[in-house]
Amino acid sequence: MKDKLQFSIWFLVAAFFLMWAINIFFFAQPSPKQIPYSEFKDLLRSGKIEEVVLGDKVIRGTLKKEEDDKKPATEINTVRIDDPKLVEELEKNRVKFTGRFDESWFKDFFLAWVIPMGIIIFIWMFALRRMSPESGIMAIGKSKAKIYIDKDTGVTFNDVAGCDEAKEELKEVIDFLKTPQKYLELGGKIPKGILLVGPPGTGKTLLAKAVAGEAKVPFFALSGSAFVEMFVGVGASRVRDLFAQAQEKAPCIIFIDELDALGKARIAAPIGGGHEERENTLNQLLAEMDGFDTQKGVIIMAATNRPEILDLALLRPGRFDRHILVDRPDIKGREEILNVHTKGVKLAEGIDLKILAARTTGFVGADLANVVNEAALLAARRNKKSVEMNDFEEAINRLVAGLEKKKKVMSKKEQEIVAFHESGHALVAESVPHADKVHRISIIPRGIAALGYTLQLPTEDRYLMTRSELMDKLAVLLGGRVAEETVFKEVSTGAQNDLEKATNIARSMVKEFGMSERLGPITFERERRPLFLELGGFSKSEFSEETAKVIDEEVKKIMSDTYTRVKEIVAKKRDKLDILAKLLLEKEVIEGDELRKIINSQ
Ligand code: ADP
Ligand code: MG
Ligand code: ZN
C-alpha cells in the first residue's frame, strides 16, 4: 500500500517533468518579442507592421518581411493600453487587423497540459492494473478487492508438475465440473470447499487454475489479502457479488487465494484492532458457503500456507472440509517441474535436468521457474546460442545464496546433519522391539517448521500402551539427537521438538501412569482445572517438595537411561547409520521397505 502510494507520487513528478519538456520542445512557438507600447506605435507609424490581432489585454503583431527574406516574419507582442485612436491609426497605415478574446491561454493550457495529462494518467492506470499480481481478463468494481474472471485459464495439468497426489485428488472435481448431471443423478456428494495447503510457491494457485482449465469452466478468483485494505462494507458485498455471479456462470470455480489473510481465527486478532471489516467479510463468506449447494456446479477452492491460523469455522463440514497437501517437490518432482519450464528454452546439448534436480533440494516450483529464467538471462548476457550447464549452475548458486539467507533452504552442512538425524530416528525405530514401523524418512523440509521428518505409522489403533512401548517410543525420539552427537560430536537445535516430546512422555510415565519403581503406582497429576479456580489458592501441590524432587529425579533417570540405551544401539549399527544418511542425502526420501532392507542386511 505504502509502496504504491510512493510509486504514484514519483510517477506524477516524473510525468510533470516529462510534459514540461514536451511543452518546451513541441509547443513552444518562436515566442513573440515583448515591446513597449510606445515602440509598437513607432513601428506602426513607420509602416513596418503587416498585421495585428487585438486582444482585450494584449496586441500581437506581425512585422512586414523584406521580399527575399526566408525567415518567418517576426512577431511582436505588447500590452494593450487604453488608446481610442488606435483603430484609426491602424486604418490609416493599412494594417490588417482582427480582434479576439484572450481565450488562447485556455486553449493552450488545454492542449499542452490537460490532454497529455489525461493520456498519461490513462496509461498509468493501465500499467497499474497490469502490475497487480494476478491480472485477469476482466475486473469488476473499482475497489482493491477485485474479482477476476477468466473464461478459460488455459492452464492444464501438464503445466503443473511434481504434485501427482494432489492432482489425483483433484481429478474427481474436474470430472464433476465437466458433467455435473452424472453426479446429480447418482446423488453423489461432492465437496463444496477444497483447501490447498502448502508452502508458498509450490503451485497452489497454478493448480487451481489448472482445475478450471482442465474442466474448461470459468475461474473466479479473489485474494484474501486484498480485503485487509478495504473500506468498510465493501468486503461483504464483494463476496456476495462473487457468489451471485459465479452461480450464474455455473459450472465454475471460485478461488480464494491467501485464505488466511481473510480467515484468521477471530479470537487471534488483537483486541480492538479494528478488524471488523475482515470479520464481516469472513462471516459473509461463511454464510454464502452455507447458503448454496454444490448441485449447481460451483466448487470453491482456496489456498493457504498457514492452515494453523485459520478460523475453525472455515474448516467445518460443508465448508473447507477437504484438504489437499501441496508439498515441496522431491527430486523426481523437481525434474518434472524443470522439464515444464525448460520447454520454451533452448538448452545446450547434454544438459541433464536430473543433475539440476539433485542440486536443488528444498526448492519449490516457483524457485525452479526462477532458476530456468535466470539461467536463460545469463546465457543471453553472455551471447550464447543456448543455455549451458554453467549458466544453470550459476543461477542455482545465486538462488541458493538468497534462499539460505532467508532460511528457506538448507546449506549442504545442514542437510547432512538432518540426514543423520532422521536416519538416527529410523535406525532406532527399526532396532527396538515395540516401535511403530517407519513408513518413510525424508530430508525435504516438510510444511513450514520441521527440517526433515521420519514418518512412523502405527500398525493398529492403540488405546493402551505398555511401559516397554513407551520406553521404545522415547528411544526413537532420542535417536535423532544421539545420531547427531555420535557423528558430529556436537548437537544442533534440530532436536528441540523431539526432546520436548520425550520429556513429556517421561514425565507422564512418572506422574500419571505410576510407572516409576521408586515412587510406585501412584498418580501425582492433578485433574486439570480451569485456571481461575487455581487462583483461589485451594489447590496447591498435592505432594510435598520432597516428592517433587523425587519426581524430577525419576524423570531424569528415565531420560538418561534411554539416552544410554540409544547410544549403544547407534554405536553398534554405526555402519548402517552412515549408509542410510548417505543414501538419504542422495535420494532425499527413503521408503520404509528399502530402509528395513538396509538396516537388516548383514
Ligand atoms: P503458490 O500459489 O503455491 O504460492 P504459485 O501457483 O503462485 O504458487 O506458483 C508460482 C509460479 O511458480 C507458477 O506460476 C509456476 O510458474 C511456478 N510453479 C510453482 N509450482 C509449480 C509446479 N508444481 N509445476 C510447474 N510450475 C510451478
Ligand atoms: Mg499463490
Ligand atoms: Zn527429530
Side-chain angles (χ1 to χ4, degrees):
M1 183 64 206
K2 212 171 151 201
D3 282 353
K4 258 193 198 152
L5 205 66
Q6 272 187 355
F7 167 75
S8 55
I9 286 170
W10 282 114
F11 183 85
L12 280 176
V13 171
F16 181 83
F17 277 105
L18 184 72
M19 281 173 44
W20 191 44
I22 289 175
N23 262 305
I24 286 175
F25 280 109
F26 295 99
F27 289 89
Q29 299 129 339
S31 54
K33 209 165 107 201
Q34 283 278 354
I35 54 172
Y37 193 71
S38 55
E39 198 182 327
F40 168 72
K41 286 298 275 264
D42 288 343
L43 285 167
L44 180 61
R45 282 177 197 135
S46 56
K48 288 209 174 115
I49 289 179
E50 168 95 35
E51 186 184 350
V52 293
V53 178
L54 303 175
D56 280 345
K57 299 198 177 72
V58 287
I59 299 172
R60 273 169 188 260
T62 318
L63 296 189
K64 276 188 184 146
K65 283 199 293 186
E66 323 248 299
E67 290 293 295
D68 51 347
D69 196 354
K70 291 261 158 48
K71 277 187 282 179
T74 316
E75 304 243 346
I76 51 157
N77 201 344
T78 184
V79 177
R80 185 167 184 171
I81 284 171
D82 192 23
D83 180 2
K85 294 248 171 66
L86 178 64
V87 175
E88 214 173 286
E89 265 180 90
L90 284 168
E91 277 177 340
K92 205 172 78 195
N93 287 293
R94 291 173 190 279
V95 175
K96 221 181 354 174
F97 68 91
T98 43
R100 77 157 185 198
F101 293 116
D102 285 333
E103 30 91 79
S104 80
W105 66 269
F106 177 73
K107 212 167 92 197
D108 283 354
F109 177 74
F110 199 75
L111 264 177
W113 290 96
V114 179
I115 291 179
M117 204 64 178
I119 292 173
I120 286 179
I121 286 175
F122 181 79
I123 292 172
W124 172 39
M125 274 164 54
F126 187 72
L128 260 191
R129 229 175 81 186
R130 293 300 303 273
M131 274 193 319
S132 63
E134 270 153 78
S135 81
I137 305 305
M138 191 163 62
I140 297 169
K142 291 165 221 74
S143 140
K144 284 222 177 62
K146 281 185 186 120
I147 304 170
Y148 289 100
I149 307 174
D150 223 339
K151 288 222 182 65
D152 182 8
T153 61
V155 181
T156 67
F157 267 1
N158 289 336
D159 301 316
V160 195
C163 40
D164 296 335
E165 284 164 38
K167 280 203 248 180
E168 202 54 48
E169 284 196 60
L170 288 167
K171 278 205 178 115
E172 181 195 9
V173 177
I174 295 171
D175 199 40
F176 168 73
L177 287 169
K178 271 184 174 161
T179 50
Q181 314 84 302
K182 192 173 84 188
Y183 285 81
L184 274 175
E185 276 160 25
L186 290 172
K189 209 164 165 280
I190 283 291
K192 227 183 235 184
I194 296 167
L195 184 62
L196 302 175
V197 179
T202 44
K204 298 180 293 297
T205 310
L206 195 66
L207 207 50
K209 281 186 181 160
V211 171
E214 287 279 334
K216 299 214 168 22
V217 298
F219 182 73
F220 290 76
L222 188 95
S223 172
S225 64
F227 284 105
V228 180
E229 321 176 337
M230 254 180 12
F231 297 114
V232 180
V234 181
S237 74
R238 192 94 331 148
V239 169
R240 216 174 302 128
D241 269 10
L242 176 68
F243 277 79
Q245 290 198 32
Q247 255 156 338
E248 267 170 37
K249 294 260 172 17
C252 68
I253 286 179
I254 296 178
F255 179 62
I256 302 172
D257 214 344
E258 302 175 59
L259 183 66
D260 42 287
L262 173 63
K264 247 181 259 170
R266 277 167 279 198
I267 37 151
I271 299 165
H275 284 289
E276 241 169 88
E277 180 53 19
R278 205 193 63 221
E279 254 174 55
N280 288 341
T281 313
L282 176 58
N283 286 336
Q284 186 67 35
L285 176 66
L286 294 175
E288 293 286 349
M289 284 190 82
D290 293 342
F292 86 102
D293 63 321
T294 350
Q295 307 297 334
K296 296 220 174 76
V298 180
I299 298 264
I300 308 163
M301 295 180 77
T304 181
N305 47 24
R306 306 174 67 193
E308 69 283 353
I309 66 163
L310 287 182
D311 199 307
L312 287 179
L314 272 170
L315 305 178
R316 261 185 223 134
R319 291 169 183 167
F320 291 106
D321 50 3
R322 175 84 72 93
H323 299 180
I324 295 181
L325 180 68
V326 190
D327 216 341
R328 286 173 208 269
D330 59 5
I331 189 163
K332 201 172 123 274
R334 291 200 301 274
E335 189 186 339
E336 285 164 18
I337 295 174
L338 283 169
N339 225 325
V340 168
H341 285 279
T342 49
K343 278 231 174 74
V345 176
K346 223 168 152 217
L347 296 181
E349 289 265 316
I351 285 216
D352 192 352
L353 296 181
K354 224 180 229 119
I355 296 174
L356 297 178
R359 290 214 35 212
T360 45
T361 311
F363 277 39
V364 293
D367 298 330
L368 293 168
N370 223 339
V371 164
V372 174
N373 191 39
E374 185 94 350
L377 287 178
L378 280 170
R381 205 175 303 151
R382 294 163 177 167
N383 298 320
K384 290 185 188 169
K385 295 235 161 35
S386 55
V387 188
E388 289 167 11
M389 205 61 180
N390 59 0
D391 300 318
F392 276 110
E393 305 254 327
E394 193 172 332
I396 290 172
N397 286 342
R398 284 186 188 187
L399 249 111
V400 167
L403 291 174
E404 258 173 28
K405 224 180 263 160
K406 284 190 232 150
K407 289 275 166 244
K408 279 195 179 154
V409 299
M410 289 183 274
S411 67
K412 267 258 132 359
K413 180 75 189 170
E414 283 168 324
Q415 270 183 36
E416 216 179 311
I417 294 174
V418 173
F420 274 101
H421 179 104
E422 301 303 334
S423 300
H425 282 309
L427 187 73
V428 176
E430 293 298 329
S431 305
V432 295
H434 302 291
D436 292 325
K437 282 186 152 187
V438 177
H439 181 67
R440 172 192 297 155
I441 60 178
S442 160
I443 55 168
I444 303 172
R446 186 185 178 79
I448 288 104
L451 296 173
Y453 63 90
T454 301
L455 194 60
Q456 283 174 286
L457 289 188
T459 18
E460 65 222 76
D461 279 343
R462 307 301 300 265
Y463 296 104
L464 291 172
M465 284 189 93
T466 63
R467 185 174 192 276
S468 35
E469 280 166 346
L470 283 171
M471 288 302 275
D472 283 358
K473 208 176 167 71
L474 274 183
V476 175
L477 282 169
L478 292 183
R481 184 189 167 99
V482 171
E484 277 184 48
E485 201 184 292
T486 311
V487 177
F488 301 101
K489 310 280 177 259
E490 190 174 37
V491 289
S492 72
T493 52
Q496 188 243 342
N497 188 259
D498 297 337
L499 290 182
E500 192 181 316
K501 272 194 218 156
T503 314
N504 283 341
I505 291 177
R507 191 168 307 248
S508 297
M509 285 173 73
V510 175
K511 287 175 77 180
E512 287 173 55
F513 311 143
M515 285 178 179
S516 143
E517 278 153 29
R518 238 174 102 195
L519 287 161
I522 302 171
T523 165
F524 295 96
E525 191 77 336
R526 273 178 290 114
E527 213 182 303
R528 287 186 207 282
R529 271 171 234 180
L531 199 64
F532 64 91
L533 287 180
E534 293 188 6
L535 293 177
F538 295 111
S539 50
K540 281 221 185 79
S541 285
E542 280 154 18
F543 44 84
S544 65
E545 242 166 65
E546 234 162 278
T547 314
K549 221 173 111 203
V550 179
I551 290 176
D552 280 345
E553 280 167 16
E554 281 297 284
V555 172
K556 232 179 254 166
K557 183 161 181 296
I558 290 181
M559 291 293 278
S560 63
D561 282 356
T562 310
Y563 207 84
T564 320
R565 181 179 170 218
V566 174
K567 263 196 113 102
E568 274 164 20
I569 296 173
V570 172
K572 218 171 89 195
K573 302 196 174 172
R574 175 66 203 269
D575 52 335
K576 303 280 160 55
L577 181 73
D578 289 346
I579 297 173
L580 272 184
K582 192 159 160 275
L583 189 67
L584 193 52
L585 274 172
E586 205 173 289
K587 287 181 49 174
E588 297 174 6
V589 179
I590 303 180
E591 298 294 332
D593 291 334
E594 191 179 358
L595 182 127
R596 273 181 283 283
K597 225 191 269 158
I598 294 170
I599 294 178
N600 298 327
S601 69
Q602 288 317 306

